[in-house]
Each structure stands twice: as structure tokens, then as C-alpha cells.
Amino acid sequence: MDKTNALRAGALAAGTTLMMLLMTSPALALTRDHGDDPGTGLSVGETLGLYVVAPIVLFLVITGLVMVLDKSHKKKDTTSSNIGTKADAKA
């Protein structure tokens, strides 16, 4: 990697990190906004269901739909890899 690409990558990483730090303000999370109404928190079961079980179930549903609706196994692959060719030995 030459010097220019390394400098460019470093500047990009530094700029991205700086922008993320500037856009997040965890110190302001403790102060309440006027009219803020957060509601009740989630229980342990609700949290696990929402952030663990639901994504796994969604992944399995999408995987199942892709496997069921896949039509590529019904097509005959006519590429050269399926054609048996033998070299003719002509003398």
C-alpha cells in the first residue's frame, strides 16, 4: 500500500470516527426534554423476545421461503461442465 492510499484511509477513518463522536451525545441523554414521555421499560423476557428470538425467527422464515421458492434445481444446467467430451484419438 503506497503512502497516498494509507493517508487517504487514515483520513477517512479519522473523519468517520470524529463525525460519529460529534453526532452522539450520551451526556445529554440524562437531561429530559420538555414533554418527554418514555413509558415503562421492557422486562427480560420481552427484551430477549424482541432482540434475540424475533430476528432468529425472521431469519428462519426468510431462509425457508428462499428454499421453498427456489426454482434453480428444476432447470437443466447446459453448461460445458455437464457435457461429456472426449478427445478423438485420430492417428
Side-chain angles (χ1 to χ4, degrees):
M1 183 179 221
D2 60 346
K3 202 180 252 187
T4 307
N5 284 342
L7 210 63
R8 186 178 298 150
L12 181 67
T16 304
T17 304
L18 180 64
M19 289 304 295
M20 289 183 68
L21 285 174
L22 289 175
M23 294 181 82
T24 58
S25 56
L28 295 176
L30 297 176
T31 59
R32 304 290 298 223
D33 290 333
H34 184 68
D36 197 10
D37 188 19
T40 60
L42 296 175
S43 69
V44 174
E46 291 171 335
T47 303
L48 288 175
L50 183 63
Y51 294 110
V52 176
V53 176
I56 291 173
V57 168
L58 186 63
F59 174 77
L60 292 175
V61 166
I62 293 172
T63 303
L65 286 172
V66 167
M67 290 173 65
V68 167
L69 299 174
D70 184 25
K71 305 273 190 227
S72 65
H73 63 278
K74 294 181 181 179
K75 291 184 201 175
K76 186 84 173 182
D77 191 12
T78 58
T79 61
S80 61
S81 62
N82 289 337
I83 299 172
T85 59
K86 293 183 180 179
D88 292 329
K90 293 183 181 181

